[in-house]
Amino acid sequence: MSSRIYVALDTPDIERAKAIAQRVHNHVGGIKLGLEFFMANGRQGVREMAEIGLPIFLDLKLHDIPNTVAKAIQALRPLEPAILTVHAAGGRAMLEDAKAAAPSGTKVVAVTMLTSLDDRDLVSIGLNPDPHEQVVRLAELAKSAGVDGIVCSGEEVAAAKKFWHDGFFVVPGVRPANGTVGDQKRVVTPRAALDAGASILVVGRPITQAQDPDMAAREIEATL
């Protein structure tokens, strides 16, 4: 992998997504496409982005009954994404079926706790007010279910790495030391996330909203 950075192209505008991807092509390791892009452009849009030549991280965070998630992933198989997300909270059977339905070359990673949530949010949805405890619990479930890894904040990746040495750890909510946090609540710097055990770093607005996205990607890459 040329870079641990995956650029998050969270836009419905496929031409804008292509333009940014082409500009940063040499300084990122892949492209993350989420719900906003997928709902606007569908599978054909993903195919067009793949033509740029970078691995595709399809971040759809699937969460439904096991059969539905498995059928959804089967429908996505022709796209052969490098990485695909499901929600760990879907439970063991859903995680097992998701992995079984995915192409052999696709890493299925389970979202533990969104980086936009904090302890007060956990209480509001009926969980214990400890993000660290929640992430570790779901990481253990994901590991036992046989998926490839998890999505978690940089604050929890080190704890997961301790018991899942060969896990694939995706860390979003990454911000440069001088970056704007925005709607994220649990953020770390790219270097701190990597040192803690991150496999890849997901970086969106610090690159995509920069005056010069390529320079922004290079500056982040230089800290790694």
Side-chain angles (χ1 to χ4, degrees), residues 100-175:
S104 59
T106 296
K107 290 187 181 298
V108 176
V109 294
V111 177
T112 53
M113 179 177 165
L114 301 176
T115 52
S116 59
L117 302 178
D118 60 16
D119 52 351
R120 289 173 295 181
D121 295 309
L122 287 179
V123 171
S124 74
I125 57 176
L127 298 173
N128 292 329
D130 185 344
H132 181 88
E133 178 184 326
Q134 177 70 2
V135 170
V136 169
R137 180 187 302 114
L138 291 175
E140 290 172 342
L141 172 64
K143 182 177 186 292
S144 67
V147 297
D148 298 283
I150 59 168
V151 181
C152 66
S153 88
E155 294 181 358
E156 293 95 28
V157 66
K161 183 81 172 177
K162 285 182 179 178
F163 64 83
W164 197 351
H165 303 294
D166 59 347
F168 187 81
F169 300 105
V170 177
V171 177
V174 175
R175 294 289 185 269

Side-chain angles (χ1 to χ4, degrees), residues 33-76:
L33 302 174
L35 279 173
E36 185 176 359
F37 178 92
F38 191 78
M39 295 304 288
N41 302 287
R43 293 190 295 180
Q44 180 56 35
V46 177
R47 291 189 186 96
E48 291 184 33
M49 295 301 297
E51 290 175 0
I52 294 171
L54 289 168
I56 298 295
F57 174 0
L58 197 52
D59 185 24
L60 301 182
K61 299 182 178 71
L62 299 173
H63 188 177
D64 211 310
I65 64 172
N67 183 63
T68 297
V69 169
K71 293 293 180 59
I73 292 176
Q74 287 171 6
L76 296 171

